[in-house]
Amino acid sequence: MGFLGKGLFQGMAVTARNFVGSYFDKERMVTVQYPEERVQVPENSRTFPFLVFDNTADHMRCVGCKICEEECPPQCIYIVMDRDENGKPLQRPKVFDIDISVCMQCQICVEVCPFEAIKMDNNYEKSQYDRFDDLVERLPDLLKSNEYYNHIKPAEASAVDAKLKAEADKKAKKAAPAKAAPKPAAPKPAAAPAPVAGRLVIPEDAPFTPEQRAWLAGFLSSAGAVAGPATAPVESAAVELPAVEEAAPDTEAAPAVDTPWHDPGLAMPQRMDLAKERPLADKLMAAMAQTDCHACGYDCRGYADAIAGGAESDLSLCLPGEGETAGMLEQLMKEAGKV
Amino acid sequence: MTTAFWIISAVTLLGAVLAVTLRNLVHCVLALILFFLGIAGHYFLLRADFLGVVQILIYIGAVAVLILFAIMLTRNVTGTEGPREVFGLKWWSGAATAAIIGALVLAAIRRDELSKLPTSTQANSSVLEIGKLLVTDWVVPFEAMAVLLTAALIGAVVIALEEVLRRR
Amino acid sequence: MIQPVADTRPKGLIETETLEVSIGPQHPSTHGVFRMNATLDGETVVALKPVMGYLHRNHEQLAERMTWLGSMPYTDRLDYFNSMANNWAYALSVEKLAGIKVPERAEYIRVIMTELTRLLNHICLVGFLLQDLGAWGTPLLYAFREREKILDLFETVSGSRMMCNYFRFGGVRVDLDDKSLALAREITSKFPKFLDEFEKLLSGNEVLLARTQRVGILPKELAINASITGPMARASGVEYDIRKVDKYGLYGTLDFRVPLGEVGDVYDRYYVRVLEMRESVKILNQVLRDVPAGPFVAPEVKLRNFKVPAGDGYGRIETPKGELGFYLVSDAQGKLPYRYHVRPPSFINLTILEDMCLDHKVADVVIILGSVDIVLGEVDR
Amino acid sequence: METIYQLLQTWLPNLPEPIMRLISFAVPILFVISVFPGIFAYTTLIERKALGRIQNRLGPNRVGRWGLLQPIADGMKLLTKEDIVPRKADKFTHFLAPVIAVIPSVMLFAVLPVGSGLIPVNLNIGILFVFAISTGSVLALFMGGWASRNKFSLLGAMRAVAQVVSYEVPMVLAALVVVMATGSLSLLTIAQAQSGGFLNISNWFVFQPWGFVGFVLFMIGAMAESARTPFDIPEAESEIIAGYHTEYSGFKFALFQLGEYLASIALAGVTVTMFLGGYNGPGSHLPYVGWLISMGWFFSKMMGVIFIVIWIRGTWPRVRVDQLMSFAWKMLLPMSIINIFAAALYHFMPSKFLAWVVTAVGLLICWWGLAKLNSDGEIKKRTYRYAN
């Protein structure tokens, strides 16, 4: 073995080099003095989810479709859809809780969200004094602005913004020809009392044509940017506006004129009423929650067609529609004699 | 000096008494160590520094520690099992032995030869003198002791070796 | 309840009593909540029973209540040092079952990530082993310093340092951009230098040699019979590396060797891992040289409502700890796994702990356990 | 002590005799109990800082500038912690053990010559005193381990006793060469014997072959005696948690640490005195300022030895208990006996240069031979084969 102790002294030489090196070599001395200095976290870094809103907290992107609740592996998300006093869904969550003591930061909720509404934060300082309540993040804690999102994850957020803008432009293009067709139920779109409804954030002096203005109002409302105290009369007034109907996202499959019920703002009886004389697939579609959230794996049209065509036998897939939709679907299928 | 003598004597006696009366074996050994310390103190008082230090080194550092080591590995250290009476037959036989030895020592002291020995007031010379005596006048007993201890060492190795071989 | 083991050995001149010591579940070197009920004769171990299950989290049953994708982040938490490798094993099993073809770029990214994982696992294992040997954390902290660089890369790419959740069926979740590729190249090029220094600190150290050689020998036959896999089996001389056997992913086309030990003691297990790191660097150099462009995930795979045709399948890969396999059964519904079973290398490698520990000292038990390389998340699941 | 007494007699002859005695007792005692615990406190800081730097960390740096107040914070923390005594423990012994751990360690400093002519008590059997007292610490380890009624503590105590008793032997034999060379057991005489020569350096015993071997053996013995890595098996945390002080908390734990550190500081001081020239160094013989310079030399050498011990702690793994024993009995003991013969040979050879060369070569051959004898041929670096 050679000289006894050679390896020991070699080791001591290594530690001596590290001892001296720790004073001069940045590679060796990697300590960061935490509260004073902080490491710049990478953009991809993720901790806990938050909900994105545009402009003001009223305009959250989340529509309360419950996909994330369903997909969350540790089941740490709890959502209750907001409804007005008539039981009509308002396309936004009333309760959105994330128990961050259960959340395992897996990012699956972000991946499955079709509305780019939930994103991962990178704030890692979440220490609390209470083990229970303080570790449950409620809706107001979760809501963060798009600016914040852009700030923490510039590249990712700008890609998302671009994507949303492209979608919006596509909508606008589609909406424009629809607008051109004379609509009896649209006497004066620009004069629609949108600001009264508290949904519009488009300033009066913004350079929009009346058509664009109307479309934007509709888009914002249907994309979940619904204000708090929207009253029933205003809602029903808005129903009269075809602009709103056309503005629902992802309606390539079915032109707006064919599916007047395709408005998540409508209550179930109204929707069923609109689809009364239609074939089964349309009736089934009217029973859906009309969010096109893809929770079932299809959009609303697709799911209805699949059920009607027999490709899909599970009637409980519509998450935003909750029991109401499932019950109605079952009833319709029974009526059609297909169950 | 006499005050120191009385204090040290008291401590020594206390250690001795405790060593035979306590129930817990480990406490007994600790009391024994106190006794050894007292003896060492007496040596220091008599200006026999070397003997005092050797008393600590050998008796406390080695003997007492070995006793402790042996006791630690036995059962019933706390003395809660077994006969409880202190003044039993064993005690009396022990007391008789102690009395005989004590009488012998007393007789030796009474023969009055110890007081005739020259008293050393020079502490610094004790090591040198002891060393010289050990390799001149007392060389035969010294070597005999060495042989005895070596034999004991070899015996211990043999016993331990048997254990090692058995394990293989 | 663990029953005390009767001492049946022949009595010698010195009769000794045995001492039962429960090493763990709270103990500095049980690598988590693991317990060993050891019967000691002096310092020598005469019987030892591993007790596990303190970290049982019902992983398999949970997975059977969850979508196929939902289990992916849970596999991160099996062996929390190698989330990338666990991801791959699970993704591979599902891909096998669903017949998904993985794009070439994704295969490259997978190899890069898994070999980096192997580096960080082995380097930490050596660090922990030395910690168990009592080296006061110095090698461990050097190891952690290097591991940090790899973890930083993982965070840049996947968003998380340890719970990567990076693989998807048919590819990976996000692409590896050029910056990250450059970082990976830098790590790979600097690693051998660090390894040399590390070896200089350790491999010649007489104390380490004396402590680890001829300690905890696992004979080749026993290793095969107990279905030991990974570096542990290879340290005992078993030629078994799934990268060579199955040639999954790109491994059929890559040039690398599999180091084999002769004795099967702790030192061999240590050194085989060091050599494996060098081979991993070799693999990384080849892979990083020619990463092709292309899609990083198979486009036909849906994220939601992913369905797997009925049937069963077993996918396995060579994780740093050994063969990690997932046995999956899909029923007609296809939405959830009907049966989900993990073959965890740590657990199976741990089964022969007693055979290796008998007649060794307590101090050896600790390093033998350290050389098995267990992660309790994977043992208990 | 005597020096101060004489100084008082010359400077303040009017002082009453008892007061003079009292002062001459009190000054060294105060010196020992104030300076060395301070050194202990800052040794812990230096150790943590140095280990940190060896491991590429910063070490404590939060309490005060460069963490200078860290020892005080540590002490306060330990003082305010709950004192836990296991229910089944032997309460009295459990309480006594940490106290006994400190006393011998403090007593060791009584015979250390910290400067030219500066020694608290010039005991003529200094070295023997050191060995006698340092065995006392093993009692504390034993009592602590046994009284805790914890199996890990008991294992730790067993290891501690076996280790300290074993390493005492080679350590004493290693110190014997110095005694042979100086003909005295007094540490002051030994230190004086190493003065003179080139810059007060060339006469240090460590520059003789036997002195160097003795130094190495004594260092190893001292490290084992004070349970420092790689011989820290009585408290090997990866094996038996914390050994004999597993069940100690709060200030009792601090006392154990204090005793252990003081012992290793004192043994470093003894090592310096015996082999590294003690307080001798350039300038230590100068009049008027010599005592100060010599004190500086002593303490800096002592800290140097302590630093080497820390450095070793940061580098080497721990040995196993049986290897520890066989190392003591099969390597150190024969080597120390051979070293005694080497020292005798050196003493009786006519030419000092020839003696130096002959003993150096002889000792090297013996070391190599012993290493060969003791290695069972199985421990070596290996070569590995690859499957394709």
Side-chain angles (χ1 to χ4, degrees):
Chain A
M1 76 167 72
F3 176 63
L4 179 73
K6 183 169 150 242
L8 295 173
F9 290 109
Q10 261 183 9
M12 286 182 76
V14 171
T15 44
R17 201 159 49 239
N18 274 287
F19 179 82
V20 179
S22 71
Y23 285 97
F24 303 108
D25 193 351
K26 264 274 165 236
E27 284 272 303
R28 294 197 195 276
M29 198 63 182
V30 290
T31 311
V32 174
Q33 296 274 299
Y34 163 56
E36 292 91 25
E37 308 166 20
R38 275 148 208 267
V39 175
Q40 176 76 40
V41 288
E43 185 178 328
N44 272 341
S45 177
R46 58 178 202 254
T47 55
F48 296 103
F50 68 97
L51 296 173
V52 188
F53 63 79
D54 292 303
N55 303 324
T56 65
D58 296 338
H59 301 83
M60 63 180 104
R61 290 180 186 168
C62 179
V63 299
C65 67
K66 302 194 181 186
I67 294 178
C68 47
E69 190 189 71
E70 161 96 355
E71 290 287 327
C72 176
Q75 306 277 291
C76 70
I77 304 179
Y78 174 67
I79 301 173
V80 174
M81 219 183 225
D82 200 6
R83 287 164 189 276
D84 66 8
E85 58 264 38
N86 300 328
K88 210 165 55 162
L90 290 180
Q91 287 303 301
R92 62 177 182 198
K94 186 164 134 203
V95 179
F96 198 115
D97 292 347
I98 295 181
D99 187 342
I100 61 169
S101 64
V102 174
C103 174
M104 61 181 189
Q105 318 178 348
C106 64
Q107 201 173 358
I108 282 184
C109 51
V110 175
E111 287 168 65
V112 297
C113 182
F115 303 105
E116 307 286 354
I118 190 164
K119 292 290 167 197
M120 292 309 266
D121 206 344
N122 58 13
N123 171 25
Y124 45 84
E125 288 160 323
K126 292 244 176 194
S127 316
Q128 304 289 353
Y129 285 100
D130 184 79
R131 283 174 57 194
F132 304 105
D133 274 1
D134 285 357
L135 285 176
V136 177
E137 300 230 314
R138 315 247 173 229
L139 188 56
D141 314 322
L142 286 169
L143 282 171
K144 304 263 172 73
S145 69
N146 195 23
E147 283 74 44
Y148 174 78
Y149 180 43
N150 270 292
H151 174 68
I152 59 167
K153 300 187 173 182
E156 190 188 309
S158 55
V160 167
D161 282 351
K163 182 183 155 215
L164 286 179
K165 191 163 182 307
E167 273 174 24
D169 288 348
K170 216 159 69 184
K171 294 282 148 52
K173 267 196 210 109
K174 283 176 81 81
K179 213 65 315 57
K183 283 290 180 119
K188 34 183 177 164
V196 183
R199 325 160 140 200
L200 269 190
V201 284
I202 312 161
E204 289 301 321
D205 54 348
F208 288 124
T209 61
E211 285 82 5
Q212 283 171 330
R213 208 171 267 277
W215 176 83
L216 275 169
F219 170 69
L220 287 171
S221 69
S222 60
V226 184
T231 53
V234 178
E235 283 292 333
S236 47
V239 170
E240 313 301 333
L241 296 174
V244 176
E245 289 158 31
E246 296 152 7
D250 261 354
T251 47
E252 297 101 299
V257 282
D258 288 333
T259 53
W261 55 82
H262 194 55
D263 171 13
L266 294 170
M268 174 72 89
Q270 288 171 305
R271 295 203 302 265
M272 294 318 293
D273 203 40
L274 283 167
K276 212 158 44 187
E277 303 299 322
R278 301 296 187 103
L280 175 65
D282 285 359
K283 275 192 199 159
L284 288 171
M285 185 190 171
M288 310 286 170
Q290 315 301 334
T291 53
D292 281 331
C293 66
H294 295 77
C296 49
Y298 316 89
D299 58 7
C300 293
R301 175 90 256 168
Y303 185 35
D305 289 347
I307 295 176
E312 181 65 63
S313 57
D314 192 347
L315 301 181
S316 63
L317 290 177
C318 186
L319 290 175
E322 296 174 320
E324 195 183 33
T325 298
M328 181 56 77
L329 288 177
E330 204 166 324
Q331 188 192 329
L332 287 169
M333 291 300 279
K334 271 210 188 97
E335 280 169 13
K338 285 203 176 177
V339 179
Chain B
M1 271 308 171
T2 44
T3 329
F5 173 76
W6 287 117
I7 294 172
I8 291 172
S9 298
V11 168
T12 313
L13 280 177
L14 180 75
V17 170
L18 285 179
V20 291
T21 50
L22 284 175
R23 297 293 303 170
N24 189 320
L25 274 178
V26 172
H27 291 171
C28 292
V29 180
L30 294 178
L32 193 66
I33 288 167
L34 189 68
F35 167 75
F36 287 149
L37 265 180
I39 296 288
H42 277 297
Y43 283 133
F44 284 122
L45 269 188
L46 295 168
R47 291 193 167 260
D49 293 7
F50 179 73
L51 272 188
V53 169
V54 168
Q55 167 86 10
I56 296 175
L57 187 65
I58 306 288
Y59 278 92
I60 298 178
V63 175
V65 165
L66 282 183
I67 295 174
L68 277 176
F69 201 65
I71 287 174
M72 179 162 65
L73 304 176
T74 58
R75 267 191 191 162
N76 191 23
V77 171
T78 49
T80 46
E81 294 165 36
R84 284 211 67 88
E85 85 276 17
V86 174
F87 296 99
L89 182 68
K90 280 183 186 166
W91 192 86
W92 286 113
S93 53
T97 318
I100 292 166
I101 294 172
L104 281 174
V105 173
L106 263 180
I109 295 170
R110 286 294 287 271
R111 275 182 67 197
D112 219 25
E113 280 182 2
L114 286 176
S115 56
K116 283 179 195 150
L117 288 174
T119 49
S120 165
T121 47
Q122 262 298 341
N124 288 358
S125 59
S126 68
V127 183
L128 213 59
E129 278 167 19
I130 291 169
K132 273 181 184 157
L133 282 175
L134 274 182
V135 290
T136 52
D137 292 5
W138 303 94
V139 68
V140 176
F142 180 65
E143 290 300 327
M145 294 258 284
V147 171
L148 183 72
L149 287 177
T150 313
L153 199 67
I154 292 170
V157 168
V158 167
I159 293 175
L161 202 65
E162 197 257 4
E163 179 77 1
V164 170
L165 291 178
R166 189 171 60 87
R167 199 163 275 155
R168 288 198 184 143
Chain C
M1 200 47 219
I2 299 299
Q3 294 299 319
V5 182
D7 187 6
T8 53
R9 296 161 309 132
K11 294 272 179 275
L13 255 181
I14 313 169
E15 294 220 351
T16 50
E17 249 178 68
T18 53
L19 179 73
E20 273 196 48
V21 180
S22 175
I23 304 173
Q26 277 85 40
H27 187 279
S29 48
T30 50
H31 296 243
V33 276
F34 174 64
R35 176 167 146 216
M36 292 173 282
N37 272 22
T39 310
L40 305 182
D41 179 9
E43 288 257 350
T44 314
V45 177
V46 293
L48 183 133
K49 284 275 165 278
V51 184
M52 45 197 117
Y54 292 95
L55 202 64
H56 182 57
R57 291 157 303 173
N58 213 357
H59 173 68
E60 294 177 4
Q61 193 69 48
L62 273 177
E64 287 162 18
R65 295 273 180 281
M66 214 170 278
T67 56
W68 296 96
L69 179 64
S71 300
M72 186 63 87
Y74 278 99
T75 60
D76 291 340
R77 285 144 178 91
L78 279 178
D79 171 1
Y80 38 77
F81 271 100
N82 316 320
S83 61
M84 292 284 193
N86 300 343
N87 280 181
W88 195 358
Y90 179 56
L92 191 76
S93 317
V94 174
E95 282 154 12
K96 221 167 156 180
L97 199 53
I100 298 166
K101 181 103 179 57
V102 182
E104 202 186 0
R105 184 179 172 84
E107 292 280 24
Y108 272 85
I109 295 175
R110 285 177 170 194
V111 172
I112 292 169
M113 288 304 168
T114 313
E115 291 305 323
L116 283 173
T117 303
R118 200 180 309 279
L119 289 184
L120 82 83
N121 178 77
H122 283 354
I123 201 79
C124 286
L125 182 267
V126 174
F128 287 133
L129 184 62
L130 265 290
Q131 179 80 350
D132 290 342
L133 280 166
W136 277 108
T138 308
L140 179 63
L141 281 159
Y142 294 168
F144 268 38
R145 189 186 67 206
E146 296 309 307
R147 169 183 181 249
E148 205 66 8
K149 293 170 187 164
I150 299 175
L151 287 186
D152 281 347
L153 172 68
F154 283 0
E155 191 181 12
T156 314
V157 175
S158 78
S160 186
R161 299 158 58 76
M162 290 175 78
M163 304 298 139
C164 297
N165 183 19
Y166 181 58
F167 286 42
R168 287 291 172 266
F169 310 130
V172 292
R173 201 182 70 225
V174 284
D175 200 5
L176 196 63
D177 58 9
D178 290 341
K179 235 169 80 186
S180 309
L181 267 176
L183 197 58
R185 280 191 193 106
E186 194 194 326
I187 291 167
T188 313
S189 63
K190 282 188 180 165
F191 201 82
K193 199 171 147 246
F194 165 71
L195 214 52
D196 290 340
E197 193 189 36
F198 209 54
E199 270 212 71
K200 208 172 162 196
L201 173 64
L202 302 176
S203 292
N205 191 315
E206 278 86 355
V207 178
L208 181 120
L209 294 181
R211 278 300 299 277
T212 54
Q213 294 203 342
R214 317 292 305 172
V215 166
I217 295 177
L218 173 65
K220 191 174 175 179
E221 294 72 39
L222 182 61
I224 295 169
N225 288 346
S227 63
I228 306 301
T229 49
M232 240 182 113
R234 291 194 285 276
S236 298
V238 183
E239 280 191 41
Y240 184 67
D241 186 324
I242 300 168
R243 290 178 292 177
K244 288 283 185 198
V245 177
D246 276 10
K247 300 194 184 341
Y248 63 92
L250 287 176
Y251 285 114
T253 62
L254 295 172
D255 167 37
F256 67 101
R257 299 174 300 170
V258 179
L260 293 176
E262 305 257 319
V263 189
D265 55 6
V266 173
Y267 184 79
D268 272 356
R269 292 200 273 279
Y270 151 73
Y271 209 75
V272 160
R273 286 185 171 104
V274 172
L275 294 174
E276 270 188 24
M277 279 192 270
R278 296 203 183 273
E279 293 302 313
S280 282
V281 170
K282 218 163 109 185
I283 294 175
L284 277 169
N285 280 332
Q286 295 169 42
V287 177
L288 286 167
R289 195 183 52 217
D290 32 46
V291 187
F296 58 91
V297 66
E300 76 272 13
V301 179
K302 281 192 296 180
L303 205 56
R304 301 201 57 240
N305 288 66
F306 173 74
K307 281 180 189 159
V308 171
D312 64 339
Y314 177 72
R316 58 180 187 175
I317 71 157
E318 179 77 26
T319 67
K321 292 185 167 58
E323 171 180 339
L324 174 67
F326 285 85
Y327 174 67
L328 303 170
V329 181
S330 176
D331 59 5
Q333 285 270 320
K335 282 196 75 176
L336 317 171
Y338 176 75
R339 178 77 178 99
Y340 174 103
H341 178 74
V342 187
R343 184 230 185 263
S346 298
F347 174 64
I348 291 169
N349 290 355
L350 195 56
T351 49
I352 34 98
L353 185 64
E354 186 180 15
D355 301 271
M356 290 192 289
C357 287
L358 285 186
D359 278 337
H360 284 302
K361 301 274 184 280
V362 187
D364 293 333
V365 170
V366 167
I367 60 165
I368 291 168
L369 179 69
S371 72
V372 175
D373 192 6
I374 55 163
V375 161
L376 266 295
E378 193 175 69
V379 173
D380 293 342
R381 303 192 298 298
Chain D
M1 199 147 58
E2 278 79 16
T3 323
I4 295 166
Y5 185 63
Q6 284 154 15
L7 279 178
L8 283 174
Q9 272 182 333
T10 46
W11 291 348
L12 300 165
N14 300 331
L15 224 60
E17 163 82 11
I19 293 182
M20 256 196 250
R21 283 262 169 224
L22 196 68
I23 292 175
S24 63
F25 272 119
V27 169
I29 291 174
L30 280 178
F31 177 79
V32 166
I33 63 170
S34 61
V35 170
F36 287 101
I39 290 181
F40 151 70
Y42 280 91
T43 305
T44 60
L45 179 66
I46 290 170
E47 169 147 22
R48 288 169 69 179
K49 278 285 203 191
L51 277 180
R53 285 294 176 171
I54 282 174
Q55 300 172 352
N56 296 335
R57 295 183 286 113
L58 289 169
N61 64 347
R62 291 276 149 177
V63 194
R65 186 145 179 78
W66 304 308
L68 279 179
L69 299 178
Q70 185 70 37
I72 298 165
D74 285 347
M76 266 157 57
K77 186 197 84 171
L78 287 167
L79 266 175
T80 50
K81 272 185 126 170
E82 186 190 356
D83 175 37
I84 299 166
V85 182
R87 188 147 43 97
K88 289 236 171 165
D90 191 327
K91 303 260 178 345
F92 181 68
T93 319
H94 189 267
F95 165 76
L96 206 61
V99 181
I100 291 185
V102 176
I103 293 172
S105 312
V106 178
M107 280 170 80
L108 284 179
F109 293 105
V111 293
L112 275 187
V114 293
S116 177
L118 296 171
I119 180 165
V121 184
N122 185 12
L123 218 54
N124 67 322
I125 43 161
I127 293 181
L128 219 52
F129 178 82
V130 168
F131 291 128
I133 294 300
S134 62
T135 51
S137 62
V138 72
L139 270 182
L141 311 191
F142 168 78
M143 284 162 72
W146 179 81
S148 299
R149 290 291 146 82
N150 178 318
K151 284 168 181 169
F152 291 112
S153 298
L154 194 69
L155 277 175
M158 268 164 60
R159 287 175 169 198
V161 172
Q163 173 179 342
V164 173
V165 170
S166 304
Y167 274 82
E168 194 96 308
V169 181
M171 206 170 133
V172 173
L173 290 178
L176 210 56
V177 289
V178 175
V179 178
M180 282 166 67
T182 55
S184 168
L185 286 169
S186 160
L187 284 170
L188 190 64
T189 319
I190 290 169
Q192 279 161 354
Q194 298 177 66
S195 63
F198 177 68
L199 283 178
N200 268 351
I201 287 179
S202 60
N203 280 359
W204 297 1
F205 288 144
V206 76
F207 297 124
Q208 322 288 357
W210 50 268
F212 181 74
V213 173
F215 166 68
V216 172
L217 294 175
F218 193 84
M219 273 282 281
I220 295 173
M223 275 159 64
E225 189 94 354
S226 47
R228 303 285 310 195
T229 313
F231 307 109
D232 58 342
I233 61 155
E235 47 193 273
E237 104 280 333
S238 63
E239 297 151 25
I240 50 170
I241 322 251
Y244 54 87
H245 55 61
T246 305
E247 296 286 357
Y248 280 91
S249 67
F251 207 66
K252 286 183 190 163
F253 173 76
L255 283 182
F256 265 123
Q257 292 292 317
L258 174 70
E260 206 170 281
Y261 268 90
L262 282 183
S264 63
I265 292 168
L267 286 173
V270 173
T271 314
V272 166
T273 307
M274 289 207 300
F275 297 102
L276 297 177
Y279 52 77
N280 290 301
S284 66
H285 62 287
L286 295 175
Y288 305 117
V289 291
W291 65 277
L292 199 64
I293 294 175
S294 62
M295 241 164 110
W297 275 115
F298 176 79
F299 282 111
S300 43
K301 281 184 212 170
M302 196 172 84
M303 293 319 286
V305 171
I306 290 170
F307 186 79
I308 290 175
V309 172
I310 294 171
W311 182 11
I312 287 173
R313 180 181 171 183
T315 310
W316 296 352
R318 165 190 313 130
V319 296
R320 201 169 57 211
V321 61
D322 57 327
Q323 291 166 346
L324 179 95
M325 287 302 166
S326 46
F327 186 63
W329 293 104
K330 293 182 189 164
M331 279 297 286
L332 296 186
L333 191 65
M335 198 62 211
S336 54
I337 291 171
I338 290 165
N339 196 31
I340 289 171
F341 285 113
L345 188 72
Y346 184 89
H347 188 70
F348 289 112
M349 289 262 274
S351 154
K352 284 297 159 225
F353 176 72
L354 189 68
W356 201 97
V357 173
V358 167
T359 45
V361 171
L363 285 170
L364 260 180
I365 289 172
C366 287
W367 177 257
W368 182 78
L370 275 175
K372 268 274 173 270
L373 268 179
N374 280 320
S375 70
D376 39 9
E378 288 167 340
I379 289 165
K380 55 183 183 292
K381 288 195 90 164
R382 296 177 184 162
T383 48
Y384 287 83
R385 68 195 174 89
Y386 292 90
N388 49 66

